[in-house]
Amino acid sequence: MEPYKKAEPIAEVLKRGEGRATVRGWVHRKRVLKEKIFILLRDSTGVVQLVLPRDRFREAEDLNLESSLVVTGSLVREPRAPGGVELHVESIDWAYSGEPYPINEDAVAADSEYLLDVRHLWVRSRKMQAVLKIRHTVFGAIHEYFRRSGFYEVHTPMFITAAVEGGATLFKVDYFGQPVYLTQSSQFYLEVLIYSLEKVYVVAPSFRAEPSRTRRHLTEFWHAEMEMAWAGMEDAARVGEEVISHVVEKVLEERQDELKLLGRKTEYLERAKPPFYRVSYDEAVEILRRRGVSINWGDDIGADEERALTLEFDKPLVLYGFPEKLKAFYHRNDPRRPEVTLSFDVLLPEGYGEVIGGGERIYDERELVDKIKRFGLDPRDYWWYIDLRRYGSVPHSGFGLGVDRLTMWITGADHIRDVVPFPRDVRRTTP
Amino acid sequence: MEPYKKAEPIAEVLKRGEGRATVRGWVHRKRVLKEKIFILLRDSTGVVQLVLPRDRFREAEDLNLESSLVVTGSLVREPRAPGGVELHVESIDWAYSGEPYPINEDAVAADSEYLLDVRHLWVRSRKMQAVLKIRHTVFGAIHEYFRRSGFYEVHTPMFITAAVEGGATLFKVDYFGQPVYLTQSSQFYLEVLIYSLEKVYVVAPSFRAEPSRTRRHLTEFWHAEMEMAWAGMEDAARVGEEVISHVVEKVLEERQDELKLLGRKTEYLERAKPPFYRVSYDEAVEILRRRGVSINWGDDIGADEERALTLEFDKPLVLYGFPEKLKAFYHRNDPRRPEVTLSFDVLLPEGYGEVIGGGERIYDERELVDKIKRFGLDPRDYWWYIDLRRYGSVPHSGFGLGVDRLTMWITGADHIRDVVPFPRDVRRTTP
Ligand SMILES: [Mg+2]
Ligand SMILES: [Mg+2]
């Protein structure tokens, strides 16, 4: 049997605290004293302090940071050790030392571009490990929420020929000599599928050829989108606040250690329960003007305005009723007030801003074709989307949620790339 | 309140079988007799027979197939109706008739290319609905298996610069004027992440510029991939048989109605429990030669050979130990027999063939660099992949599972495009 097969997870060994144990992992810290060598050994579950006596020095000499190791020894309670337990090593059963680890404390402190250059190593850090565990919980909770709520998981194409959001930020692919594009949103395909399954969701990558580097944009991101037949704007907004609060609740339940390691204060997370605040576009303009922001009715609410707005509220808010020209053509205009649409964004507090965009879609064929033309687009480019309104259309609503952005807020990250294992932006496609 | 808000799912109404009810859905069939109109109304949960008396004829006249409808009436037990219940309609509360539905029975019988042209409508068919529900269960069961088994869900980039499988079938993207490629496999990135989380999985699209149209290839497909630290080939094969059997068990538990609707015989599914057969490449060559297939040791086992092989077995099989040159460079050679690799495929029975490819990866730096060169590749193209072996490498194994192919077998489909809502191949990128 391979020597690593009998190893136990470090978290379990710490919990037991006595007897003999074999553990495996990577050298996180190494401190050589006159009589002893202390090694902090890391695995995916925790960190344990190894103690090697003088007569093991020769074997331990080669060990660099991040060397991999399998060791056996006795557990001894030691209040000064992390987790209150030390492993007194009797044998090194397996080791792979490699070369001196290139990431040093200066690079970490500077949080420099270099950490992106060596992302394939930096993901080993305790910080990235914590973020990735939270991400795992976030995605699990999203699937759990939708499945429990009667949504079917579906899969929509990445290769598309019709743009949902307009063509400016589409990536072009050489498709056997023909141009096709990478999807920015699965929405149109979800609208197709409600005629079969009524309530559908998808969790998948979306792509945006965003040429500027901002704190909250990447060129590829994970998008959780849903669409429901027989539903209006407020129905979709309710699903939005429910899914966010479910995710946050799960993270608070399962990831306290990781939130602590990241230094994330949880008061805003704990308050993120439905109902979120409802703020109309009109009210938002009023609030911003009272705060001295120069904005007129009809102007966009961009990143800066969102930031200012969220700082007024102690939990997420549903911002609804945007003027027609601020939202894509497919949003249904409010029949009682046609200059605004039945659209909404969910904004996260603490300055984070937009995480969901959604609303009710136009379901009437004539209304849709007229609006496509009013927006200067060609109905022929949307033939199958229009077709959905030619054969038994129904009122329906949906939204797209940026999962990386949600994770960014939950972890308290400054930059979206801090919550993505291998972030992609205009300058970076490697590692 | 909107008239559709008070509707109940058809499956629940059928179960209740009496009293008054409001239902909503789409006209699946319509039959006009002298005294009555019968309408089969479909929603995502089932089909109910509506009965409209003579005095409702005028309202029902406009209703085409697939018109959407909300109706209220009384439930009456009627053994000849589907589900044993009829709804005697008292009011049509809402209707959207649209135009005559273009898909007719001839097109369906011919299963023609036309059904792909109108895929945005064809997904409404009872057959596609059943397939999509099974797909939903398949994906849910994959996540459930991995999460229960201690794997972390991670997300790896779609935009890449280093090819896992070699460059021949990569799609090129115009990335702000530079060429990047779409991923064919997340494997290299999963190998990065085992140093942080030990056991990781991802469920995401992969892309393959496959220029030929076959029954089991699409240009984009959903890939479930996993990688484990401290694991050998057989460990990965066991995870493979466990995840497949868990998925099949879930489908048998939750989707009997859908399997029946598709006419799928379930005997092979019921038998797909671990352990699957283990067949070495050497044995496979022997079996094939005994069957009269012309194959020599060292030749590839392609689609035809796989088909012949699987017909010899009554459940899935793990085919292992392929000659070095038949598998990509990263597969570890068997130290006891260096001409073969510690690689395996899982083949599905009934002629379906390969659904998983995996194995143990080379963990030694020198061994990896030597093999990259032996394969005529340039180590500089794999700098960060090699880096993983410079800092505390560990033995590790993993695999990729084609989820669409698994769904194809489970549903008994002839063609992979039959189980994908919007299939993409060399000729088709729309709808
Ligand atoms: Mg906005
Ligand atoms: Mg093969």
Side-chain angles (χ1 to χ4, degrees):
Chain A
M1 198 177 70
E2 305 288 350
Y4 55 78
K5 290 260 175 180
K6 60 176 174 166
E8 295 172 84
I10 287 173
E12 283 177 28
V13 163
L14 292 176
K15 211 178 294 167
R16 196 167 80 237
E18 52 183 39
R20 286 172 55 76
T22 299
V23 293
R24 63 193 186 194
W26 293 267
V27 174
H28 187 59
R29 295 274 177 275
K30 181 177 156 187
R31 199 153 46 97
V32 180
L33 302 185
K34 213 157 54 176
E35 294 302 316
K36 286 175 182 173
I37 295 178
F38 290 101
I39 286 173
L40 289 184
L41 193 75
R42 164 187 71 75
D43 73 1
S44 64
T45 69
V47 170
V48 65
Q49 178 159 294
L50 309 180
V51 186
L52 288 87
R54 244 204 167 292
D55 59 338
R56 298 267 161 215
F57 269 35
R58 218 168 41 86
E59 289 167 80
E61 224 165 49
D62 287 344
L63 295 175
N64 294 306
L65 291 188
E66 290 302 319
S67 287
S68 45
L69 207 56
V70 182
V71 296
T72 301
S74 308
L75 297 167
V76 175
R77 303 220 183 258
E78 168 51 67
R80 289 168 301 180
V85 178
E86 280 179 348
L87 186 79
H88 288 215
V89 172
E90 290 152 20
S91 62
I92 294 183
D93 307 329
W94 193 93
Y96 189 111
S97 314
E99 299 175 28
Y101 196 59
I103 300 180
N104 61 35
E105 281 172 23
D106 292 345
V108 176
D111 191 19
S112 62
E113 197 75 10
Y114 174 70
L115 295 182
L116 288 163
D117 295 338
V118 293
R119 194 67 162 199
H120 60 296
L121 303 174
W122 178 237
V123 293
R124 302 181 182 195
S125 63
R126 298 275 285 159
K127 187 180 159 185
M128 281 303 298
Q129 201 187 47
V131 167
L132 292 173
K133 287 182 181 180
I134 290 171
R135 224 183 128 88
H136 162 83
T137 300
V138 167
F139 277 81
I142 289 172
H143 283 286
E144 186 177 70
Y145 170 81
F146 280 117
R147 285 174 171 264
R148 277 193 194 164
S149 308
F151 286 81
Y152 287 99
E153 184 182 355
V154 297
H155 303 90
T156 52
M158 302 291 112
F159 290 134
I160 56 142
T161 49
V164 177
E165 305 278 338
T169 54
L170 285 172
F171 282 110
K172 190 159 83 179
V173 180
D174 174 0
Y175 197 84
F176 308 105
Q178 300 295 316
V180 305
Y181 301 93
L182 293 175
T183 187
Q184 297 185 315
S185 162
S186 300
Q187 179 194 321
F188 286 5
Y189 291 98
L190 294 181
E191 288 187 61
V192 168
L193 291 165
I194 59 167
Y195 294 90
S196 181
L197 301 168
E198 297 189 65
K199 293 167 74 175
V200 293
Y201 80 101
V202 60
V203 182
S206 280
F207 304 89
R208 212 156 287 206
E210 174 63 47
S212 58
R213 278 187 132 194
T214 83
R215 286 175 183 276
R216 57 180 201 171
H217 287 94
L218 293 170
T219 54
E220 53 168 273
F221 62 101
W222 278 76
H223 216 165
E225 297 180 85
M226 76 86 181
E227 201 72 30
M228 308 192 274
W230 312 105
M233 174 179 75
E234 178 56 24
D235 300 305
R238 261 200 303 270
V239 171
E241 63 190 7
E242 280 175 17
V243 67
I244 289 173
S245 70
H246 181 71
V247 168
V248 169
E249 195 180 302
K250 275 285 172 185
V251 171
L252 289 171
E253 223 173 275
E254 296 176 6
R255 298 291 166 208
Q256 282 294 339
D257 290 351
E258 289 77 14
L259 291 169
K260 213 165 289 165
L261 192 145
L262 296 172
R264 176 61 168 145
K265 293 216 184 76
T266 57
E267 43 178 303
Y268 277 89
L269 302 179
E270 276 151 26
R271 261 200 304 268
K273 293 190 195 311
F276 296 169
Y277 296 109
R278 297 293 189 278
V279 179
S280 72
Y281 172 86
D282 304 340
E283 290 166 322
V285 169
E286 281 312 304
I287 293 168
L288 288 167
R289 289 172 72 103
R290 276 203 301 274
R291 293 286 153 192
V293 178
S294 147
I295 184 172
N296 292 311
W297 197 96
D299 291 347
D300 195 14
I301 295 193
D304 292 343
E305 291 79 18
E306 281 182 5
R307 191 180 159 74
L309 200 55
T310 67
L311 295 177
E312 302 285 315
F313 295 93
D314 62 358
K315 59 175 173 171
L317 56 107
V318 175
L319 178 60
Y320 68 92
F322 290 86
E324 177 183 272
K325 69 165 178 150
L326 293 185
K327 290 285 178 183
F329 70 85
Y330 49 72
H331 287 97
R332 187 178 174 208
N333 293 52
D334 187 341
R336 290 162 310 181
R337 210 187 141 197
E339 72 277 16
V340 304
T341 51
L342 297 168
S343 59
F344 71 97
D345 286 355
V346 177
L347 307 188
L348 296 173
E350 302 175 81
Y352 280 88
E354 183 188 343
V355 70
I356 281 181
E360 185 172 337
R361 324 306 188 182
I362 297 172
Y363 69 85
D364 182 80
E365 182 190 356
R366 166 74 53 94
E367 194 179 328
L368 179 63
V369 173
D370 286 351
K371 195 163 172 187
I372 287 174
K373 290 179 182 163
R374 197 158 72 243
F375 272 57
L377 301 166
D378 185 344
R380 282 171 302 184
D381 290 341
Y382 301 94
W383 67 272
W384 58 261
Y385 187 63
I386 295 168
D387 249 14
L388 304 178
R389 281 81 179 163
R390 299 175 75 201
Y391 311 106
S393 190
V394 300
H396 61 287
S397 297
F399 65 67
L401 179 161
V403 189
D404 310 290
R405 284 195 184 172
L406 179 58
T407 309
M408 191 182 162
W409 172 59
I410 288 173
T411 59
D414 287 334
H415 201 295
I416 193 165
R417 68 181 172 220
D418 294 342
V419 300
V420 175
F422 304 97
R424 297 298 188 236
D425 66 24
V426 61
R427 296 215 307 260
R428 184 167 295 280
T429 52
T430 182
Chain B
M1 196 177 70
E2 304 289 350
Y4 55 78
K5 291 259 174 178
K6 61 176 175 166
E8 295 172 84
I10 287 172
E12 284 177 29
V13 162
L14 290 177
K15 211 178 295 165
R16 196 169 79 236
E18 53 184 37
R20 285 173 56 79
T22 299
V23 293
R24 62 194 186 193
W26 293 267
V27 174
H28 187 58
R29 295 274 178 275
K30 180 177 156 189
R31 199 153 46 97
V32 181
L33 302 185
K34 214 160 49 177
E35 294 300 317
K36 286 175 181 174
I37 295 178
F38 291 101
I39 287 174
L40 291 184
L41 192 75
R42 165 186 72 75
D43 72 3
S44 65
T45 69
V47 170
V48 65
Q49 178 158 296
L50 310 180
V51 185
L52 288 87
R54 243 203 169 293
D55 59 336
R56 297 267 161 217
F57 269 36
R58 218 168 41 89
E59 289 167 81
E61 226 165 49
D62 287 344
L63 295 175
N64 294 306
L65 291 189
E66 291 302 320
S67 288
S68 46
L69 207 55
V70 182
V71 296
T72 301
S74 310
L75 297 167
V76 176
R77 302 218 184 261
E78 167 52 65
R80 287 167 302 178
V85 178
E86 280 178 348
L87 186 78
H88 288 216
V89 173
E90 289 153 22
S91 63
I92 295 182
D93 308 330
W94 192 93
Y96 189 111
S97 314
E99 298 173 29
Y101 197 59
I103 301 180
N104 60 35
E105 282 172 23
D106 291 345
V108 176
D111 191 17
S112 62
E113 198 74 11
Y114 174 70
L115 294 182
L116 288 163
D117 295 339
V118 293
R119 194 66 160 198
H120 61 294
L121 303 174
W122 179 236
V123 293
R124 303 183 181 192
S125 64
R126 298 276 286 161
K127 186 180 162 187
M128 281 303 298
Q129 200 188 47
V131 166
L132 293 172
K133 286 183 181 180
I134 291 171
R135 223 181 130 89
H136 162 84
T137 299
V138 167
F139 277 81
I142 289 172
H143 283 285
E144 186 177 69
Y145 170 80
F146 281 117
R147 286 175 170 261
R148 275 194 196 164
S149 308
F151 286 82
Y152 288 100
E153 183 181 356
V154 297
H155 303 91
T156 53
M158 302 291 110
F159 290 134
I160 56 143
T161 50
V164 176
E165 305 278 339
T169 53
L170 285 172
F171 282 110
K172 190 159 83 179
V173 180
D174 175 0
Y175 197 84
F176 307 105
Q178 299 295 316
V180 305
Y181 301 92
L182 292 176
T183 188
Q184 297 184 313
S185 161
S186 301
Q187 179 192 322
F188 287 4
Y189 291 98
L190 294 181
E191 288 187 62
V192 168
L193 292 165
I194 60 167
Y195 293 90
S196 182
L197 301 169
E198 297 190 66
K199 293 167 75 175
V200 293
Y201 81 101
V202 60
V203 182
S206 280
F207 303 89
R208 212 155 287 204
E210 175 64 46
S212 58
R213 280 187 130 192
T214 83
R215 286 177 183 277
R216 57 182 201 169
H217 287 93
L218 292 172
T219 55
E220 54 169 271
F221 63 101
W222 278 76
H223 216 166
E225 297 181 86
M226 78 85 181
E227 201 72 29
M228 309 192 275
W230 310 106
M233 174 178 74
E234 177 57 22
D235 299 305
R238 262 200 303 270
V239 171
E241 64 191 7
E242 280 175 18
V243 68
I244 289 173
S245 70
H246 180 70
V247 168
V248 169
E249 197 180 301
K250 274 286 172 183
V251 171
L252 288 172
E253 224 173 275
E254 295 177 4
R255 298 292 165 207
Q256 282 294 339
D257 290 350
E258 288 78 13
L259 291 169
K260 213 163 290 164
L261 191 146
L262 296 170
R264 176 62 169 145
K265 292 215 184 76
T266 57
E267 43 179 303
Y268 277 89
L269 302 179
E270 276 150 27
R271 262 199 304 269
K273 292 188 195 310
F276 296 168
Y277 296 110
R278 297 293 188 278
V279 179
S280 72
Y281 173 86
D282 304 342
E283 290 167 321
V285 169
E286 281 313 306
I287 293 169
L288 288 168
R289 289 172 72 101
R290 277 204 302 274
R291 292 288 154 190
V293 178
S294 147
I295 185 172
N296 293 311
W297 197 96
D299 291 347
D300 194 13
I301 296 194
D304 291 344
E305 291 80 16
E306 282 181 7
R307 190 180 161 75
L309 200 55
T310 67
L311 294 177
E312 302 284 315
F313 295 93
D314 61 357
K315 58 176 171 171
L317 55 108
V318 175
L319 179 60
Y320 68 93
F322 290 85
E324 178 183 271
K325 66 161 181 152
L326 293 186
K327 290 284 179 184
F329 70 85
Y330 48 73
H331 286 98
R332 188 178 175 207
N333 293 54
D334 188 342
R336 290 162 310 181
R337 210 188 143 197
E339 73 276 18
V340 303
T341 51
L342 296 168
S343 59
F344 70 96
D345 286 354
V346 177
L347 309 188
L348 295 173
E350 303 175 80
Y352 280 88
E354 184 187 342
V355 70
I356 280 182
E360 186 172 337
R361 323 307 188 181
I362 297 173
Y363 69 85
D364 183 78
E365 182 189 356
R366 167 74 53 94
E367 194 180 327
L368 179 64
V369 173
D370 286 351
K371 195 163 172 187
I372 287 174
K373 290 179 181 162
R374 197 157 75 244
F375 271 57
L377 300 167
D378 186 343
R380 283 172 301 185
D381 292 340
Y382 300 94
W383 68 272
W384 60 262
Y385 187 64
I386 295 167
D387 249 15
L388 303 178
R389 281 82 181 163
R390 299 176 74 201
Y391 310 106
S393 190
V394 299
H396 62 286
S397 298
F399 65 66
L401 179 161
V403 189
D404 310 290
R405 283 194 185 172
L406 179 58
T407 309
M408 192 182 160
W409 172 57
I410 289 173
T411 58
D414 287 334
H415 200 296
I416 193 165
R417 69 181 171 218
D418 294 342
V419 301
V420 175
F422 304 96
R424 297 299 187 235
D425 67 25
V426 61
R427 295 216 307 260
R428 183 168 295 280
T429 52
T430 182

